[in-house]
Every structure is written in C-alpha cells, then in structure tokens.
Amino acid sequence: MSIAERAVAAHRVAQQHLDYQATAADADADIARVVGQLAELLGVGPHRVRPDRTRARRSLPLEPLTLHATDPDDPLRRYTFTYLDPFYDDESFFLLEPCPLCAAPVPLAEIRTLADLGAFLAAGPEPLPGDGGTPPDSYPDAFDQHPAHTAACAYRESQRVGLMRRGHCAEALDLDGPQAGRVRRQPVAERVEIPLEQRFPWITGAGLMVLPTRA
C-alpha cells in the first residue's frame, strides 16, 4: 500500500471515529471517545470495539471500563482491554489475558501503542515466580494483587490491600496476631508541665513585666 493510500485510509478511519462520537448520547460521550481511541490505536473501525455497558459508573473503588475488540480478519479472535476512567483521555489501555498461574483474565500488558500490543503478542508473558514474588518488569502494576485472580493464586488481592482499597485504612493497620483487625494504638507520652515563667518570660508571678518602650 502506497503512502497516499495509507493516508487516505487513515483519514477514513479517523472520520469514522468522529461520526461515531457525534452520534453518542451525552451520558455516553466519554465511553464513545475511549472506544474511538482504542479503535484508532488498533487501526479498525469503531464498530469493531464493543464497550461493556454493565459497568457501574459511580462505584467505589472505581470499576474500569471493559472493551472487546474483534479482529476484522478473524471474527472469532477477540481482544479484551480495560480503561480505568473514561473521564480522562490520557490513560493507558490494559490487555486482559489469562494469568500464567491461575488462568484468570487479568491485566498482562499496558497498551499505549499498537507496537506495545505487538511486543506482547510476539513474546507472550514472562514466567512468574510461583511464590507470589515481584513480577518481572514487563507486567503492569495493575497485574499485582488484581481482584480477578483466583483464591489459590499467589497474586490474589491480600486482605490488607483489600481493606485499603475499600477505605478501611484503620482495620488494615494491624492484621497480625491476636489483635488482628484492630487499630494499633501507640502509648500516650507522659505530659510534662512547663512552668509559666519559662513559657512566657515576661510574666512574673501574678503581674506583668513592664516592657521598655522606644522613645
């Protein structure tokens, strides 16, 4: 394909994205924009990308938007991505693939360009330590302790992280020993009284010291 043909094809794809976003309702405008971003990144029409409409928009912690992209050359081949918050337009997509340990669909690659997807598809995920140790650098931060891991997976979300994610910070402070789940309180330091004349040296006894004034 020549440069001119590629340029015309890119223009047509971009125009499809604009048309798709223009027809979206106001409430779905952010989702439509993200659909267009992913379609443009993959070089496919926006009708090839389907967002998950069951996402709870106002849930806390924030539930990422899930998008399914169909390969135009192989309709049976589908790629699943997540996008944290459609309100922002500068976040990464994450490719969901089976965890090498538990086979649950979790983020295995951060995708900002088509080359990022190509790098993952060419090499696949790196082997993981079976004891739940630090994953290789090729794994995104979203992979570690992701809630989709199975209960037996070494990378399943820990109790402490789960409490912190749900805002129960105090309960997460102490999860070991007989006081598990309770707030660890530090002993209160003994109060030391400082004599009044040391705190306010211009006060003597019950009266006030007369301070000299400038003439």
Side-chain angles (χ1 to χ4, degrees):
M1 183 181 290
S2 67
I3 292 179
E5 291 173 332
R6 291 177 183 272
V8 172
H11 168 70
R12 289 174 179 170
V13 170
Q15 190 60 48
Q16 289 179 353
H17 300 159
L18 293 176
D19 295 342
Y20 176 80
Q21 295 179 38
T23 58
D26 291 342
D28 295 330
D30 292 335
I31 294 179
R33 175 178 44 76
V34 174
V35 167
Q37 287 179 221
L38 181 58
E40 186 173 4
L41 184 153
L42 299 176
V44 299
H47 64 283
R48 298 284 183 182
V49 178
R50 181 174 57 85
D52 185 355
R53 299 289 181 177
T54 63
R55 170 180 177 266
R57 298 171 181 266
R58 303 180 185 277
S59 64
L60 290 176
L62 188 65
E63 181 182 348
L65 173 67
T66 302
L67 307 107
H68 307 283
T70 304
D71 192 319
D73 292 338
D74 183 5
L76 298 180
R77 182 67 175 98
R78 188 170 66 173
Y79 300 91
T80 302
F81 301 85
T82 60
Y83 192 91
L84 181 57
D85 189 354
F87 182 78
Y88 300 98
D89 61 0
D90 59 349
E91 297 190 14
S92 299
F93 292 96
F94 290 95
L95 177 67
L96 295 187
E97 288 285 321
C99 170
L101 293 186
C102 69
V106 295
L108 289 192
E110 182 177 359
I111 308 297
R112 284 191 173 273
T113 66
L114 189 59
D116 293 334
L117 178 61
F120 176 84
L121 296 178
E126 294 186 58
L128 288 169
D131 59 354
T134 303
D137 291 340
S138 61
Y139 284 79
D141 293 340
F143 167 81
D144 192 17
Q145 298 173 337
H146 192 273
H149 289 286
T150 63
C153 185
Y155 293 93
R156 172 74 177 181
E157 180 183 86
S158 68
Q159 184 182 5
R160 178 177 283 104
V161 171
L163 287 170
M164 295 294 287
R165 275 168 50 86
R166 287 181 283 276
H168 303 302
C169 301
E171 291 85 345
L173 293 178
D174 190 356
L175 293 174
D176 304 315
Q179 301 297 318
R182 298 183 181 178
V183 180
R184 179 180 299 164
R185 301 185 182 277
Q186 299 295 334
V188 179
E190 182 180 355
R191 183 176 180 179
V192 178
E193 292 290 344
I194 301 177
L196 187 64
E197 58 271 16
Q198 292 184 21
R199 287 184 289 163
F200 306 103
W202 58 87
I203 299 179
T204 57
L208 294 176
M209 178 184 296
V210 178
L211 299 177
T213 57
R214 181 175 297 176

